[in-house]
C-alpha cells in the first residue's frame, strides 16, 4: 500500500510538472536557427528532398552509425541471453502465454502438453504470408530506396523487411532462419556503410559526406549523392538486425 | 478550441504518466515492459509535438513551394529525426527486456518482480 502511495505521490508531482510545462508552452513562430539552417541548406548542399532523411543520414550521420551499432549490440545480446535456454528442456517456460499476472510459481503449473507439436497455424495465415511476404519485401525496398524523396528511409524500410520475417515466422513457426546469412548480410552492409563514410573523407568534404556521387536534380530517384546508397545499406542492416532478434526470440520459444 | 500541439502534448504527457504508474505499481514483469514502451511512446509524441508549427507542411521539399522558401513553409525536421532514432532504439531495448524476462521466467518460473529479492536491501 505504501508502495502505491509513494508511486502516486511521485506521479502527481510529475503530473504537476507536466501541467506547468503544458500551460507555459507557446509554439515558436518560426524555425529555430538550427532547423532554419537545415531547411535552407539541405537542397543546395545535399540535394535531398526529405529533410529528415538528410539529417539522419548526412548531417547527423555519425549518430546514425552509432545507433546502428547500438542496435547490433542489442541484437547480439538478445542472441547471447537466449542462447542457453534451448538446451535445458526441463526449464522450458509453459506454452500458455496468458499466465496469471503476478506470477504463478507453483512448479506443477509447468504444462507438459504440446511440446513437440506446435499450435497449427491457420490456412489464412499460411496463404496470406505466401502472398504478402514478397510484397512486403518489395515495399521495404521501395521505402528505403526512396528515403531521400518521400517519407521513409533506412530504418523504416528495414523495419518493414523485418515485419516480412515476422510474418514468415508466424506462418511457419518451425522455420529456422539461417543465422549465418543474417549475420553475413548485416556485417556486409555495416562494412559498406563505413567504407562509404570513409570515402567521403577522401573524395569529398569529410566523414559521411554524401557528395562522393553527383547530386543530380532535386526530386529524382538517382539524386542526393550517396544518400540512397547509405539508406539502402542502413535498411538492409536494420532489417537483418531486427530479423536476428525475431529469430532469437522465436527459437527460444520453440526449443 | 485546443490546437493540435496542445492535444498531442497532453496525450504524450498522459502516456508518460500512465507508463510510469504501470512500471511502478504492477508486479508482473511483462506488464512493466509494456508500461515502459507506453512511456517511451509518450516521450516520442511530446518531442514530435514540440517541433510542430501551425500552418506548415511536412519537412519534405516538393513542387508545392520553391526550395528557397522552405524555411518559411516546413515544420522543424530535427525532432522527427530524433524520434526516428528513439523509436528504433526503443525497439532494441524492448527486445532486450523481453529476452531478460524470458530467461528470468525460465530460471525462476515466475514473472512476479516481488519474488526477485536478490538485490533487495
Amino acid at each position: 500500500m505504501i508502495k502505491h502511495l509513494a508511486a502516486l505521490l511521485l506521479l502527481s508531482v510529475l503530473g504537476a510538472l507536466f501541467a506547468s510545462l503544458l500551460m507555459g508552452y507557446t509554439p515558436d513562430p518560426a524555425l529555430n536557427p538550427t532547423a532554419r539552417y537545415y531547411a535552407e541548406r539541405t537542397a543546395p548542399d545535399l540535394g535531398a528532398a526529405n529533410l529528415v532523411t538528410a539529417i539522419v543520414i548526412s548531417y547527423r550521420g555519425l549518430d546514425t552509425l552509432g545507433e546502428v551499432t547500438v542496435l547490433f549490440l542489442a541484437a547480439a545480446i538478445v542472441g547471447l541471453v537466449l542462447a542457453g535456454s534451448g538446451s535445458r528442456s526441463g526449464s522450458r517456460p509453459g506454452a500458455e502465454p496468458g499466465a496469471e499476472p503476478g506470477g504463478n510459481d507453483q512448479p506443477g503449473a509447468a504444462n507438459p502438453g504440446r511440446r513437440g507439436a506446435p499450435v497449427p497455424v491457420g490456412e489464412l495465415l499460411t496463404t496470406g504470408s505466401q502472398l504478402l511476404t514478397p510484397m512486403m519485401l518489395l515495399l521495404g525496398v521501395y521505402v528505403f530506396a526512396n528515403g531521400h524523396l518521400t517519407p521513409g528511409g533506412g530504418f523504416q524500410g528495414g523495419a518493414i523487411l523485418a515485419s516480412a520475417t515476422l510474418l514468415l515466422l508466424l506462418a511457419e513457426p518451425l522455420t529456422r532462419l539461417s543465422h549465418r546469412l543474417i549475420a553475413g548480410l548485416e556485417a556486409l552492409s555495416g562494412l559498406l556503410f563505413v567504407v562509404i563514410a570513409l570515402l567521403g573523407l577522401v573524395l569529398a568534404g569529410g566523414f559521411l559526406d554524401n557528395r562522393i556521387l553527383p547530386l543530380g536534380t532535386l526530386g529524382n530517384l538517382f539524386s542526393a549523392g550517396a544518400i540512397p546508397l547509405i539508406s539502402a545499406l542502413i535498411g538492409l542492416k536494420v532489417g537483418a538486425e531486427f530479423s536476428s532478434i525475431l529469430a532469437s526470440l522465436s527459437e527460444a520459444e520453440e526449443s | 478550441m485546443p490546437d493540435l500541439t496542445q492535444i498531442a502534448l497532453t496525450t504524450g504527457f498522459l502516456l508518460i504518466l500512465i507508463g510510469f504508474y504501470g512500471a511502478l505499481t504492477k508486479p508482473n514483469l511483462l506488464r512493466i515492459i509494456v508500461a515502459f514502451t507506453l512511456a517511451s511512446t509518450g516521450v516520442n509524441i511530446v518531442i514530435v509535438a514540440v517541433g510542430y508549427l501551425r500552418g506548415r507542411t511536412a519537412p519534405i521539399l516538393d513542387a508545392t513551394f520553391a526550395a528557397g522558401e522552405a524555411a518559411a513553409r516546413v515544420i522543424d525536421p530535427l525532432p522527427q529525426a530524433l524520434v526516428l532514432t528513439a523509436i528504433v532504439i526503443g525497439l532494441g531495448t524492448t527486445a532486450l527486456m523481453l529476452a531478460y524476462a524470458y530467461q528470468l521466467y525460465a530460471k525462476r518460473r515466475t514473472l512476479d518482480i516481488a519474488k526477485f529479492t536478490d538485490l533487495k536491501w
Side-chain angles (χ1 to χ4, degrees), chain A residues 128-171:
Chain A
S129 80
Q130 285 166 2
L131 180 71
L132 284 179
T133 305
M135 290 191 200
M136 285 162 85
L137 291 177
L138 190 66
L139 178 69
V141 171
Y142 171 83
V143 165
F144 65 61
N146 283 286
H148 55 305
L149 305 175
T150 56
F155 289 106
Q156 297 91 323
I160 295 174
L161 290 187
S163 67
T165 312
L166 177 62
L167 189 64
L168 207 66
L169 284 173
L170 282 179

Side-chain angles (χ1 to χ4, degrees), chain A residues 74-89 91 176 179 244-255, chain B residues 95-96 98-100 102-104 106-107:
Chain A
I77 295 175
V78 167
L80 187 71
V81 166
L82 293 178
S85 67
S87 50
R88 303 176 318 275
S89 58
S91 64
R176 285 285 174 275
H179 278 280
S244 123
I245 291 177
L246 290 171
S248 299
L249 288 171
S250 145
E251 281 164 33
E253 191 188 347
E254 293 300 324
S255 55
Chain B
L96 212 53
L98 283 175
Y100 284 134
Y102 179 90
Q103 278 299 41
L104 277 175
K107 293 240 160 53

Side-chain angles (χ1 to χ4, degrees), chain B residues 59-75:
Chain B
I60 293 175
L61 311 172
D62 60 10
T64 53
F65 55 87
E69 63 174 358
R73 297 294 303 273
V74 299
I75 61 173

Side-chain angles (χ1 to χ4, degrees), chain B residues 34-85:
Chain B
V34 171
F36 269 119
T37 60
L38 269 183
S40 78
T41 308
V43 173
N44 291 342
I45 291 176
V46 168
I47 296 178
V48 167
V50 165
Y52 178 76
L53 301 178
R54 206 187 172 91
R56 295 186 180 218
T57 180
I60 293 175
L61 311 172
D62 60 10
T64 53
F65 55 87
E69 63 174 358
R73 297 294 303 273
V74 299
I75 61 173
D76 195 344
L78 204 53
Q80 303 196 358
L82 274 179
V83 165
L84 181 58
T85 309

